[in-house]
Amino acid sequence: MDKETLSKIEETVLEILKDSNMDKTTEFQIRKYASQKLGIDLSEPALKKFVREIVESYLRVQQAKAEAAEVEEEEDEEDPPEKEEEEENNNGKKGAREYDDEGGIIICRLNDKRRVTLSEFKGKTYLSIREYYKRDGKELPSAKGISLTTEQWGSFKNNIPAIEDAIKKMESRLL
């Protein structure tokens, strides 16, 4: 399927999600409504998977926003008033944290399109290394990337020395 059609599907699904009661709406209902609205059969396995990824991404983002708002409220309650004023005067940004458009905490930017973010979804913390794209002035996460639970991150972190050794060995073979 061409990029333009996929983009229309994504826009339609996101529009439906924004107007839906997420406590009662199912992925099937969203896919069915989007299918009717677009006149495209979204029950094909590839399109079904594409819609599922959009829904899951949207839900992760909403959860991260809710969690970030909770954390910010807790931080506001803990901060003494003079520190709060000082932080707000720092170019309008609060604290040293940088948040993405979906509410995730940006840990670092690997380049202009890739970044490492920390977010929460369904009570779990995720570290994501993902590519972002711009649409309507917002930077949005693409499907290109990976999200690791804290357990997966711990395992990965513990294996960094082995990964570095393997990279060195591979590079020495290539030279």
Side-chain angles (χ1 to χ4, degrees), residues 10 14 113 131-135 138-143:
E10 183 176 7
L14 289 172
K113 288 187 176 185
E131 272 192 19
Y132 283 71
Y133 64 96
K134 289 186 180 181
R135 180 184 292 155
K138 286 188 174 186
E139 290 182 316
L140 302 170
S142 74

Side-chain angles (χ1 to χ4, degrees), residues 33-138:
Y33 184 57
S35 186
Q36 291 170 346
K37 197 169 182 179
L38 293 166
I40 300 172
D41 181 13
L42 298 176
S43 65
E44 295 175 27
L47 293 175
K48 197 175 189 179
K49 180 181 177 189
F50 181 66
V51 171
R52 180 177 300 121
E53 288 171 352
I54 296 167
V55 171
E56 288 173 352
S57 175
Y58 178 83
L59 292 173
R60 277 194 303 274
V61 166
Q62 295 308 307
Q63 182 68 30
K65 283 181 181 178
E67 296 291 334
E70 281 181 31
V71 168
E72 195 169 306
E73 284 177 19
E74 288 172 8
E75 287 174 352
D76 286 348
E77 291 171 6
E78 293 172 3
D79 287 343
E82 61 275 358
K83 187 175 179 183
E84 200 170 299
E85 289 173 20
E86 182 182 304
E87 287 177 349
E88 286 178 9
N89 289 334
N90 185 13
N91 295 330
K93 292 183 180 177
K94 246 190 156 195
R97 289 187 179 158
E98 182 182 5
Y99 293 90
D100 62 16
D101 290 333
E102 284 70 46
I105 300 168
I106 299 173
I107 304 300
C108 70
R109 294 177 183 270
L110 301 174
N111 62 28
D112 63 329
K113 288 187 176 185
R114 289 188 184 140
R115 65 175 79 145
V116 180
T117 60
L118 193 64
S119 61
E120 289 200 32
F121 178 66
K122 292 189 178 181
K124 282 194 163 200
T125 301
Y126 290 91
L127 179 89
S128 296
I129 303 169
R130 189 157 303 283
E131 272 192 19
Y132 283 71
Y133 64 96
K134 289 186 180 181
R135 180 184 292 155
D136 299 327
K138 286 188 174 186

